[in-house]
Amino acid sequence: MPARPPEPTIASLRDAPAEGAGDTLARYWTFYWAVADAQLARWLPRRPSRVLDISGGGGRSARRTAAAGHTVIEVRDPMLERRAPGRLGDGKSAKGRPVGGGLENGSTERQSTERPGTERPGTERPGTERQSTERQGAENGGGDGDAGQGGAGQGGTGNGRAAGERMGDAGRRERGARETIPVVGDSSALPFLGDACVDAVVADDRVLSRHLATESTVGEIARVLRPGGRVLLCVDSLTLGLALLAEQNYWAHLSDVPSAEVVLVPWPDGTITRCFWAEQLRELLTDVGLEVEWIRPRTALSPSTVEHVLADSPDALARLVRTELNAVPGDESLGMHLLASARRVSP
């Protein structure tokens, strides 16, 4: 009987294989993102809606949401993108990827010392700073959707007013129009959005595990959701966190995990991720007035299983994806990442 290939290290599961590394885990990432796309498609509102996407990650979920007929406000957070050494599964470094079309190669250039998007619609800046902001917005206008046509394409620092105007215009257009409104700003605070102004929020690609003060971000999500609006989010699981600690021989830290209210886990490169049990995630959501609809692993199948099946039968991808989607809910703690859906119930 042939020897089974070794299970990949936990740390190696954050990024797709580097160029020249062969097919290691390439099939798994194809499967992973096929599952993520199918889960998003199932979850999205059936009627054309206004959806806020704070996922980052190159705009994958924002593009798919817009393609489904929704108006998407896509928040691009340069601070968060530069902190992340690589997005899950894209095989690239965030340092080398443009953010909103205007920041490349890890540039820290700023037109102002304030964090992007720190003003609500209607605020003004001194003329010189506003001119610089408009120049930055013109650069950022090369993104998805209508970004290059002005308005929300001016998505740089202090762009809350332009974003608010575009949001109003979008609401007056025929429902069902496909549009992505890019906004460069702080995805943890959302200061450029008013209360109860969106129908749904997508926080995919582990973004809430990279915002270490997750309570604050989830509170902002609840604030901008209209009553009855829903959020889809993805976080790192404590199963992943425990495996990372064990792989790095942090045995003393492992013993502290059961009593810890907040679990912050280092990756080998020194970056930090916040990990959750299902019950911790449920409590986090209910504390801000959200009603949890369900929590489940993003994928329950292991990378080695997926690689083995797809190596023998490349046509089995659709069958594997259906297996994940139709699996009977079981142990919520399984898998590297937890996916949750919640609804705002408070007025």
Side-chain angles (χ1 to χ4, degrees), residues 196 201 217-226 288-290 344 346:
V201 177
T217 307
V218 171
E220 282 295 281
I221 289 173
R223 178 183 67 81
V224 302
L225 272 175
R226 64 167 178 79
V288 297
L290 297 174
R344 180 181 171 186
S346 59

Side-chain angles (χ1 to χ4, degrees), residues 230-243:
R230 302 167 72 215
V231 57
L232 180 72
L233 58 93
C234 177
V235 297
D236 287 333
S237 74
L238 205 51
T239 299
L240 171 68
L242 292 172

Side-chain angles (χ1 to χ4, degrees), residues 102-134:
L103 298 174
E104 299 187 24
N105 300 322
S107 168
T108 57
E109 182 179 356
R110 279 285 184 274
Q111 303 298 340
S112 154
T113 58
E114 294 185 22
R115 295 191 66 170
T118 54
E119 295 154 335
R120 292 183 181 273
T123 58
E124 292 284 352
R125 290 185 170 222
T128 54
E129 285 193 13
R130 185 160 185 81
Q131 291 171 5
S132 299
T133 296
E134 290 171 354

Side-chain angles (χ1 to χ4, degrees), residues 56-79:
R60 181 187 184 96
S61 56
R63 288 192 299 271
R64 280 155 178 75
T65 301
H70 304 286
T71 296
V72 184
I73 305 163
E74 182 193 0
V75 180
R76 303 172 181 178
D77 190 336
M79 297 293 291

Side-chain angles (χ1 to χ4, degrees), residues 36-66:
D37 292 344
Q39 289 166 335
L40 177 64
R42 280 192 173 189
W43 179 87
L44 284 170
R46 294 294 167 257
R47 300 172 62 181
S49 304
R50 179 182 293 169
V51 180
L52 172 68
D53 192 303
I54 64 171
S55 307
R60 181 187 184 96
S61 56
R63 288 192 299 271
R64 280 155 178 75
T65 301

Side-chain angles (χ1 to χ4, degrees), residues 47-287:
R47 300 172 62 181
S49 304
R50 179 182 293 169
V51 180
L52 172 68
D53 192 303
I54 64 171
S55 307
R60 181 187 184 96
S61 56
R63 288 192 299 271
R64 280 155 178 75
T65 301
H70 304 286
T71 296
V72 184
I73 305 163
E74 182 193 0
V75 180
R76 303 172 181 178
D77 190 336
M79 297 293 291
L80 187 63
E81 291 287 343
R82 279 198 295 274
R83 282 201 302 269
R87 182 176 70 82
L88 174 69
D90 69 354
K92 295 181 181 179
S93 166
K95 183 178 178 181
R97 183 176 65 251
V99 178
L103 298 174
E104 299 187 24
N105 300 322
S107 168
T108 57
E109 182 179 356
R110 279 285 184 274
Q111 303 298 340
S112 154
T113 58
E114 294 185 22
R115 295 191 66 170
T118 54
E119 295 154 335
R120 292 183 181 273
T123 58
E124 292 284 352
R125 290 185 170 222
T128 54
E129 285 193 13
R130 185 160 185 81
Q131 291 171 5
S132 299
T133 296
E134 290 171 354
R135 285 197 297 272
Q136 181 181 359
E139 294 175 0
N140 289 333
D144 300 325
D146 296 338
Q149 300 177 15
Q154 298 172 0
T157 305
N159 70 334
R161 179 170 170 172
E165 291 172 354
R166 285 293 293 276
M167 289 164 57
D169 292 343
R172 289 188 290 270
R173 293 194 185 103
E174 179 183 358
R175 301 290 281 177
R178 300 176 180 180
E179 182 182 34
T180 298
I181 303 171
V183 179
V184 176
D186 183 357
S187 60
S188 67
L190 307 177
F192 41 82
L193 293 176
D195 297 348
C197 65
V198 298
D199 302 305
V201 177
V202 178
D204 206 342
D205 203 33
R206 308 167 46 245
V207 66
L208 294 181
S209 281
R210 289 182 282 146
H211 280 307
L212 302 185
T214 315
E215 291 84 356
S216 174
T217 307
V218 171
E220 282 295 281
I221 289 173
R223 178 183 67 81
V224 302
L225 272 175
R226 64 167 178 79
R230 302 167 72 215
V231 57
L232 180 72
L233 58 93
C234 177
V235 297
D236 287 333
S237 74
L238 205 51
T239 299
L240 171 68
L242 292 172
L244 273 173
L245 291 173
E247 192 170 84
Q248 299 174 81
N249 296 319
Y250 289 143
W251 305 112
H253 299 74
L254 274 169
S255 64
D256 293 336
V257 167
S259 60
E261 293 184 5
V262 175
V263 180
L264 304 179
V265 178
W267 291 86
D269 60 11
T271 55
I272 304 295
T273 187
R274 183 168 174 180
C275 301
F276 297 86
W277 284 129
E279 284 308 310
Q280 290 175 324
L281 184 58
R282 192 183 307 275
E283 181 179 352
L284 177 71
L285 295 170
T286 56
D287 281 351

